[in-house]
Amino acid sequence: MDLTAMVDLAFLLVTFFMLTTTLNKPKAMDLAMPDKNEQTHEQEPIAASRTMTLLLGDNNRLEWFIGVPGESLTPPTVSGYGKNDLRKVLIEQQQKIKGQTGKDMFVIIKPSDKSVYKNMVDALDEMHIANIQLYAIVDITPVEVDLLKRDHIY
Amino acid sequence: MPRVKIPRKSTAIDMTAMCDVAFLLLTFFILTAKPKSEDPVPVDTPGSISEAPLPEKDLATLTVGKGKVFFGVEGFEIRKELLQQMGTKYNIGFTANELKEFANMNTIGVPVQQIKQYLNMDPEQRKAVAQPGIPSDTTGTSELYNWIHEARIVTKNLDNQELRFTIKGDSKEEYPTLQRIIAIMQKQEVNKFSLITSLRKQ
C-alpha cells in the first residue's frame, strides 16, 4: 500500500502542532513588592547618592535622576525605554556609583498615573538586563508628579 | 575488469515505519497541546527577556484589560470549592449544575450577584455578553479582595500550598488599574507575584 500521502499529512500536522504549542508558552516575570504593613523591622536607609529614581510618564517617556527630588545630584533627565536610552543610562550610572561608593545602585521605579503597564514591565526588564539586584516599585509622590508636569511628560 | 552490475531497485519504499513514527509524534503533540484559554478582553502581553515558565498548579490569574479585572484559578476542584465559599459569604446558594459550569470556566468577570444568572446562560449567549469585570476598589472589602482571599484559603485547604498570583495585563493598560489590584493584594500581604509576558529578544 502506498503510504506516502498519509505520511505527508501526518508530518504536516506534526509541524503544525509543534509550531503552535512551543512558541505560545507565556513567560512569567517574578516581582516582589516592598512590604507595606511591616513598619517594625527597620531597614538600613540607603544613601541618596546611590539611589536612582525612575519616574514613568506618558507617551513612553520617563525621567530619571540620582538622589532625592528637589535636591537631586544629577539634573532630572527625560529619556525613553529603548536600548540606547534607559539601558545605557542604567549601566553608566551603575558603574559610576559602584566606582564612587563601592556599593550597588538602588533603583526606585515610580509609575505615574499616565504611564501604562508596558512601561512598568519594560523598566523591570531593563533591571534584569542591566543586572541590577536592588530595585522596587513605589507609589509616586505629588512633588515628583510636579516634576513630570514641568517637563511636559505628564 | 568486469563491471559490477548494480541491481536496479524499485523506487517504492516501505512507508509503514515512517508512518508509525509520524503518528506517534502527532499523538504526542495533540495530547500535550493545551487549548488556548479565551481571554474575556483582548490582552496583548508586553514582552520581556524573562524565560521562567509559569507553574501549572496552584495558580490564580488576574487578567487586566480595558480597565476591567477578571479573576481565574487553575483546578477543577478548587474552582468548585471557591464558588461555594463565595456563595456562603454573599448568601447565594448555587446548585450542583451551576458549580459544575463554574468549574469549567477559566476566568470570571461578573459581580457576585450576577454570577447565578451568568452561569445559567448557554455557552453561546455567554460569549455574546460583555463581562463588566469584578468590582475592585481599595476599601478592603471589595469583591476582588474576597475572591483573592477565599481562593487562598481554598487552595490552602485542598492542596496545602500557597496560591501564587500572576497578573496578565494588556500593554496599553493604564497604571492606576494595576496599582489598585496590587494594593488589594498587598492588603492581604501578598507581596510576590508574577507578571505574564511574552518572549522578546534583547
Side-chain angles (χ1 to χ4, degrees):
Chain A
M1 204 170 88
D2 188 14
L3 289 176
T4 322
M6 201 168 174
V7 173
D8 282 354
L9 184 72
F11 270 106
L12 194 81
L13 286 173
V14 168
T15 323
F16 171 75
F17 276 102
M18 269 169 73
L19 292 181
T20 48
T21 51
T22 46
L23 288 183
N24 267 337
K25 281 252 163 67
K27 301 291 174 197
M29 178 194 253
D30 283 335
L31 170 67
M33 295 290 281
D35 203 328
K36 268 189 181 165
N37 301 329
E38 278 180 62
Q39 301 287 324
T40 42
H41 71 104
E42 278 287 313
Q43 281 185 328
E44 212 159 286
I46 288 171
S49 57
R50 63 186 188 99
T51 308
M52 178 174 184
T53 307
L54 301 178
L55 306 174
L56 313 187
D58 66 353
N59 287 329
N60 297 322
R61 286 176 297 179
L62 64 89
E63 188 161 357
W64 66 270
F65 58 82
I66 306 275
V68 280
E71 40 192 293
S72 53
L73 301 170
T74 58
T77 318
V78 176
S79 148
Y81 290 89
K83 208 190 291 183
N84 299 321
D85 303 311
L86 180 58
R87 194 175 307 170
K88 227 164 119 189
V89 169
L90 284 173
I91 291 168
E92 272 172 16
Q93 296 300 323
Q94 163 95 313
Q95 279 170 350
K96 205 170 128 193
I97 286 169
K98 188 100 188 170
Q100 280 170 357
T101 63
K103 286 178 187 159
D104 284 332
M105 178 168 71
F106 183 69
V107 182
I108 304 174
I109 301 166
K110 296 191 174 185
S112 73
D113 288 359
K114 293 285 158 72
S115 64
V116 294
Y117 177 57
K118 187 179 188 301
N119 299 152
M120 183 178 109
V121 174
D122 279 347
L124 290 172
D125 206 26
E126 293 301 332
M127 296 301 133
H128 293 140
I129 293 171
N131 201 14
I132 290 168
Q133 308 294 335
L134 302 163
Y135 59 86
I137 296 178
V138 180
D139 289 341
I140 200 161
T141 60
V143 184
E144 286 155 336
V145 172
D146 288 341
L147 201 63
L148 285 177
K149 278 182 184 152
R150 192 199 69 188
D151 291 314
H152 307 291
I153 60 167
Y154 187 80
Chain B
M1 241 171 69
R3 272 203 177 165
V4 182
K5 207 174 180 187
I6 305 159
R8 286 186 68 186
K9 274 187 191 153
S10 150
T11 45
I13 313 165
D14 186 11
M15 289 276 187
T16 324
M18 196 171 177
C19 197
D20 284 352
V21 172
F23 272 102
L24 195 82
L25 283 173
L26 185 57
T27 324
F28 170 74
F29 280 111
I30 291 180
L31 290 182
T32 51
K34 233 173 133 190
K36 200 171 175 248
S37 53
E38 278 300 293
D39 285 324
V41 278
V43 172
D44 167 31
T45 50
S48 83
I49 58 147
S50 175
E51 284 183 18
L54 271 180
E56 307 252 312
K57 268 188 82 202
D58 305 315
L59 182 78
T61 314
L62 293 156
T63 311
V64 188
K66 294 195 175 149
K68 299 174 190 170
V69 185
F70 301 84
F71 184 75
V73 170
E74 294 293 321
F76 207 78
E77 288 303 316
I78 291 178
R79 270 182 232 163
K80 228 179 202 171
E81 190 66 32
L82 172 61
L83 188 63
Q84 247 164 357
Q85 289 298 326
M86 285 302 278
T88 2
K89 194 149 193 146
Y90 284 91
N91 283 325
I92 309 168
F94 291 102
T95 61
N97 199 34
E98 284 163 347
L99 288 173
K100 211 179 118 209
E101 280 290 320
F102 186 80
N104 283 325
M105 282 201 306
N106 273 324
T107 45
I108 180 87
V110 289
V112 165
Q113 304 299 339
Q114 292 169 29
I115 286 184
K116 216 176 163 65
Q117 194 192 347
Y118 185 75
L119 288 175
N120 284 318
M121 291 179 192
D122 53 62
E124 285 305 306
Q125 267 179 305
R126 225 178 268 162
K127 251 179 215 161
V129 178
Q131 299 188 54
I134 293 174
S136 55
D137 48 58
T138 43
T139 50
T141 49
S142 65
E143 278 181 27
L144 187 64
Y145 182 92
N146 287 328
W147 278 110
I148 292 172
H149 196 71
E150 296 303 321
R152 288 177 64 205
I153 294 171
V154 167
T155 318
K156 193 84 196 167
N157 288 343
L158 286 180
D159 281 2
N160 201 21
Q161 285 281 325
E162 279 296 329
L163 187 63
R164 298 187 41 153
F165 287 91
T166 57
I167 298 176
K168 187 175 185 178
D170 189 58
S171 352
K172 297 239 161 46
E173 187 58 42
E174 281 172 13
Y175 184 69
T177 323
L178 268 312
Q179 194 179 25
R180 213 169 59 221
I181 63 171
I182 289 175
I184 287 174
M185 285 200 272
Q186 285 203 287
K187 233 176 212 150
Q188 33 189 306
E189 288 178 24
V190 178
N191 287 318
K192 232 187 126 185
F193 28 77
S194 320
L195 310 174
I196 295 186
T197 55
S198 41
L199 199 60
R200 180 188 81 169
K201 287 197 191 80
Q202 291 194 38

